[in-house]
Amino acid sequence: MTAEDSRIDRRWEQLHTWSPFGFLGISIVLGVATADPDTARALWSTAWSLVGVALVLQLWWHGTRFRRPDRGRTPSPAGCLYYAVRWALAFALAWLNPFFAFYAASGYMDADELLPRRWRRLGLLASAVTVAGAQSGGMPLRSVLQWGLFAVLLAVNSVLQMAIAHLNEQEKQRSRERTETIAALRQALDENAALHAQLLVQAREAGIADERRRLAAEIHDTIAQGLAGIIAQLQVVTNTPDPEAAEEHVGRALALARHSLGEARRSVHNLAPVALEHDALPEALRKTVSEWGERTEIRAEFTLTGTAEQLHAEVAATLLRIVQEALSNAARHARASRVGVTLSYLGDEVILDIRDDGAGFDPLALPVRSSAGGFGLDGMRARAERIAGALTVESEPGLGTALSARVPLVRHDS
């Protein structure tokens, strides 16, 4: 229930509580003011007794009503008794003086609260009889004209009160439905709040898992590959008797170590790879392929087709990492003598192709990645799918391998 509904309910409760006292007071004032001096003493001796009983009745109901938990808002035997005795007192007082019809009109206001549904219309009709009798000139009715006027007034009062009672019942029904709707909405809001909290927890857990996967892939692409390159260079040093050649490979190992350290730091902070810090993707790929070829002594070529555009940082970093992983796999497993990397800009998408003439493999017979293994094809495929792309693999034993990553062309934020 809203604050406005509570305020209206309090007003109605105050009206139902004090209106009988007010109507009785108005009736007394008007009755005394219009009383016939010749008959006032005889009639008002009886009237004052009835007024006293009416006051006692009102005080009794006032106390009884507020002792009930529902504040007398629902029919009860005590409420029915109060309504019936009040009507009888109002009828008797209206017989003595028509202005006591104001007191009788109290029955119009609280019949829905005091009487059960099956007696409600009868209670309203009884109150209408008293009011119509007073309006037609007072009781008893002495002429045919007065009886005819009484019948008309009774019909009018009854129809009006029945209509008002019907409208009041409809309003109460709407109020109950509104209350039920509000309760259902509150329950739904509570459920939504619980669901929202659950979704936040799941989103946080998913974010943690995604960040772990990102860091694992970044570490694999930077530290692991760097260490593998350093080991390869140091192995050459241990196996060569030429001091100059050994010094050259030691220098390459140191450069790889510095590069890997920088990439590891950037991965932790989720920054763009070092190769993309100053160069666009095509130039970064060109340098990466060239440096890899010099380091592994494998012929490697980079080709650009289409008009190069400045890509979104995430797209560029993803394609660079895929190339780095593919080159690392070619160096460790393919035993290739030639590798070609092609970057193609095709309107609304970018295609990255990596081909080698190495040993090849059966894509359907790949072993399950162990905890000690790399990320390989699964890692590259996951990277492409993360930016709404796809990775396809074509390979046969002895016929080399071709990888193709197709991703949307998302331009750099301006």
Side-chain angles (χ1 to χ4, degrees):
M1 180 180 295
T2 64
E4 182 66 17
D5 291 336
S6 299
R7 186 180 65 82
I8 293 174
D9 282 351
R10 286 196 300 271
R11 294 289 177 83
W12 274 111
E13 183 175 338
Q14 292 171 357
L15 183 63
H16 287 171
T17 301
W18 300 109
S19 61
F21 290 99
F23 286 145
L24 182 60
I26 293 172
S27 299
I28 293 172
V29 171
L30 294 176
V32 171
T34 60
D36 186 354
D38 296 333
T39 58
R41 181 175 298 178
L43 292 176
W44 279 93
S45 60
T46 303
W48 283 119
S49 299
L50 293 175
V51 167
V53 175
L55 285 172
V56 172
L57 175 68
Q58 292 302 144
L59 293 172
W60 169 79
W61 175 243
H62 183 78
T64 301
R65 182 171 184 266
F66 279 88
R67 282 196 297 271
R68 292 176 57 188
D70 61 356
R71 291 290 192 267
R73 295 189 184 94
T74 57
S76 66
C80 293
L81 176 63
Y82 162 70
Y83 191 92
V85 174
R86 187 183 66 188
W87 174 84
L89 289 170
F91 184 84
L93 287 167
W95 189 284
L96 297 175
N97 189 296
F99 281 107
F100 279 97
F102 284 99
Y103 183 50
S106 300
Y108 291 156
M109 302 185 61
D110 52 12
D112 58 331
E113 291 188 353
L114 299 176
L115 301 178
R117 190 180 186 86
R118 63 180 180 276
W119 298 108
R120 200 166 296 163
R121 294 183 182 276
L122 181 59
L124 290 172
L125 178 62
S127 297
V129 167
T130 304
V131 174
Q135 290 173 338
S136 60
M139 296 177 285
L141 305 175
R142 294 182 174 86
S143 65
V144 175
L145 179 60
Q146 194 176 11
W147 274 101
L149 183 60
F150 168 76
V152 172
L153 291 172
L154 178 61
V156 172
N157 278 278
S158 297
V159 170
L160 287 176
Q161 293 309 314
M162 296 301 177
I164 292 173
H166 178 69
L167 293 175
N168 189 42
E169 182 62 29
Q170 286 186 329
E171 179 60 28
K172 285 191 173 183
Q173 179 64 26
R174 284 194 293 268
S175 178
R176 286 193 293 269
E177 292 175 354
R178 186 166 62 250
T179 301
E180 292 173 358
T181 301
I182 292 173
L185 288 174
R186 285 179 176 172
Q187 182 179 358
L189 287 174
D190 292 340
E191 292 175 355
N192 287 340
L195 179 60
H196 180 67
Q198 182 179 357
L199 290 175
L200 286 177
V201 172
Q202 292 176 351
R204 180 177 178 274
E205 292 176 349
I208 292 174
D210 186 67
E211 183 65 9
R212 286 174 177 171
R213 287 192 295 270
R214 183 190 70 79
L215 284 174
E218 291 289 336
I219 290 172
H220 171 264
D221 292 342
T222 56
I223 299 176
Q225 292 184 16
L227 290 175
I230 293 169
I231 291 172
Q233 297 299 322
L234 293 179
Q235 285 177 341
V236 173
V237 171
T238 59
N239 295 328
T240 180
D242 185 357
E244 292 184 1
E247 185 177 355
E248 179 183 354
H249 286 289
V250 169
R252 290 179 180 178
L254 288 174
L256 275 174
R258 295 190 187 97
H259 178 81
S260 298
L261 179 61
E263 289 283 20
R265 288 171 176 169
R266 300 182 71 82
S267 297
V268 170
H269 295 288
N270 198 19
L271 300 176
V274 173
L276 295 173
E277 186 174 3
H278 302 293
D279 296 322
L281 179 63
E283 186 61 26
L285 289 179
R286 192 184 308 278
K287 291 181 178 179
T288 298
V289 172
S290 176
E291 291 172 0
W292 179 84
E294 293 177 1
R295 187 168 63 251
T296 60
E297 298 180 351
I298 298 175
R299 182 180 175 184
E301 298 177 350
F302 172 76
T303 304
L304 173 66
T305 63
T307 303
E309 297 190 47
Q310 187 70 16
L311 297 177
H312 188 279
E314 185 68 19
V315 176
T318 297
L319 294 176
L320 177 63
R321 293 305 191 198
I322 289 175
V323 168
Q324 289 174 335
E325 174 68 13
L327 293 176
S328 175
N329 289 341
R332 286 184 294 172
H333 308 298
R335 298 187 299 278
S337 61
R338 182 177 179 180
V339 174
V341 177
T342 302
L343 180 66
S344 304
Y345 288 84
L346 300 177
D348 58 351
E349 64 181 1
V350 182
I351 299 177
L352 178 67
D353 296 304
I354 304 107
R355 305 168 309 282
D356 68 62
D357 60 355
F361 60 93
D362 183 358
L364 301 178
L366 286 176
V368 179
R369 182 174 66 87
S370 66
S371 59
F375 281 74
L377 294 176
D378 290 339
M380 288 186 281
R381 183 174 289 109
R383 284 185 180 278
E385 291 175 351
R386 191 176 301 143
I387 57 173
L391 180 78
T392 58
V393 181
E394 296 180 3
S395 182
E396 291 185 23
L399 297 179
T401 301
L403 303 178
S404 180
R406 185 184 297 262
V407 301
L409 195 157
V410 183
R411 294 171 176 82
H412 179 69
D413 294 334
S414 57

